[in-house]
Amino acid sequence: VFKNLMESNPAFTQVGKSYATPPNVWDGERYKSPGPNPQIADMSNFKAEGDYLSLLGLEFIVGRNFDKDRINDKYGVVINEEAARLLGWGTSDTYDQDSPIGKKVICAFDNEEELEVLGVVKDFNFFSLKEKIEPLIIMHPENDKMWNYGFGRSYLSLKLNPEKVTTSKDLRDLIEQ
């Protein structure tokens, strides 16, 4: 309800929900590639809507964002370049011959759920700018096969409309509203 209210406000151009906000992505697990000799890696992860990924301006190298109209997207993931590399799926230079899209990331813990790769985004700093970019898996918030935040912490990120919020007074008025 609150997200819909913010989306209807012309002071914002984009609104996105996530369960972490860079540089505060603290959760992680072990994941592996399928096959007889799987690549296993520790990777950071968080859940976010496709709207949030768009708001961040993430650049998709291959594949796509989560689609609200595709019900099975809730079991897909978006990974960064470093995750694809660690899973043994090459680099952006090799994706045209062997794309990570449609491949499965397997949780190397508990029930070993398989998550289909929908997209690969260009590496971005989701920790401090002083740190090396680590592998990242972004899951859909409605994925009920994986750990669930329930009604725990979640964040709405808002992008201001520069045509509507032009002064500090406009911003103060918006915050009061």
Side-chain angles (χ1 to χ4, degrees), residues 39-55:
Q39 299 293 320
I40 299 174
D42 290 321
M43 298 189 200
S44 295
N45 59 41
F46 71 98
K47 289 186 174 184
E49 296 176 332
D51 291 347
Y52 181 72
L53 304 185
S54 296
L55 183 140

Side-chain angles (χ1 to χ4, degrees), residues 3-15 55 157-167 169-177:
K3 182 181 180 210
N4 290 338
L5 183 63
M6 295 297 102
E7 287 175 326
S8 68
N9 188 324
F12 304 112
T13 59
Q14 288 181 288
V15 178
L55 183 140
S157 296
L158 312 161
K159 187 174 273 190
L160 292 174
N161 182 342
E163 295 175 5
K164 302 291 181 182
V165 183
T166 59
T167 66
K169 182 185 179 321
D170 292 344
L171 184 57
R172 280 192 308 275
D173 291 347
L174 178 61
I175 291 169
E176 286 179 23
Q177 177 188 0

